[in-house]
Amino acid sequence: MPDRRQPDSPTDDNPFAAPPEGRPDQPWQPRGGGGGNGDGDGPKDSDGQRGPARWDPTDPIQRRARYALLAGMWGFFFGIFGIPSVGLLLGALALYWGISALRGKPAPATAEGAPAAPSGLDALGPAARPQRTAAVSGLVTASLAILLAFSSYALQLAYKDFYVCRDDALTKSAELQCNTLLPNNVLGDVLKVRQ
């Protein structure tokens, strides 16, 4: 069989190869990312703009959007698990953070008559989409958390006699007698004391 050894190819595409003779060593630089644009600036979208930026924890608008999502989610969980006071607090905080993230601070005008620079999430450009989604999701979950907390308080207020009777009952039979204070509907069936 003939020798199938390929001729030596240029080492331009081998990042670990030694530099050609006569050329000085150069400091390492990252390769240009995807698409062969060769400028090393990272991925670009169809408009030639840089791709979406990473989350910046020092940016208060992005931070409030994430806080809104987390506080709203935990407020909703606390509302479901029967701790309405914590759910109400976290829901209110999530509403504040979500609204302030969506509105942002207005940027001052750069010169007289010149339009103001974009502010809030609009200043992030394409990177604003995940932050806007987080802020809106935080507003939705915050609204649900506040709704759960208010419905829990309204239920306790509407059926205060039942809750007082149940809490003051010393025996199981006395606790079962409190079921007569509930209405004969689905809500009464959910709240009544089980045997």
Side-chain angles (χ1 to χ4, degrees), residues 135-162:
V136 170
S137 300
L139 287 175
V140 170
T141 53
S143 301
L144 289 173
I146 291 173
L147 182 67
L148 280 172
F150 280 145
S151 62
S152 175
Y153 288 139
L155 195 66
Q156 289 179 14
L157 189 62
Y159 299 111
K160 183 178 180 183
D161 295 337
F162 167 74

Side-chain angles (χ1 to χ4, degrees), residues 28-183:
W28 180 84
Q29 293 179 351
R31 289 186 185 198
N37 56 10
D39 57 1
D41 285 341
K44 295 193 174 192
D45 59 11
S46 60
D47 298 339
Q49 299 285 334
R50 281 196 59 131
R54 292 179 182 249
W55 179 60
D56 181 14
T58 60
D59 183 10
I61 296 170
Q62 294 183 38
R63 199 170 52 231
R64 286 178 185 152
R66 297 292 172 106
Y67 286 168
L69 178 61
L70 289 172
M73 180 179 61
W74 280 105
F76 178 71
F77 287 144
F78 276 112
I80 285 179
F81 293 134
I83 309 173
S85 56
V86 177
L88 184 63
L89 173 68
L90 289 173
L93 283 172
L95 272 180
Y96 169 73
W97 283 325
I99 291 170
S100 65
L102 288 175
R103 289 180 64 198
K105 270 190 171 178
T110 54
E112 284 188 33
S119 65
L121 290 175
D122 295 331
L124 294 174
R129 186 174 180 205
Q131 308 309 325
R132 186 172 287 116
T133 303
V136 170
S137 300
L139 287 175
V140 170
T141 53
S143 301
L144 289 173
I146 291 173
L147 182 67
L148 280 172
F150 280 145
S151 62
S152 175
Y153 288 139
L155 195 66
Q156 289 179 14
L157 189 62
Y159 299 111
K160 183 178 180 183
D161 295 337
F162 167 74
Y163 284 106
V164 168
C165 176
R166 190 188 68 182
D167 292 341
D168 290 344
L170 298 176
T171 63
K172 186 69 172 177
S173 60
E175 192 175 2
L176 288 170
Q177 288 294 325
C178 297
N179 288 342
T180 58
L181 300 172
L182 290 172

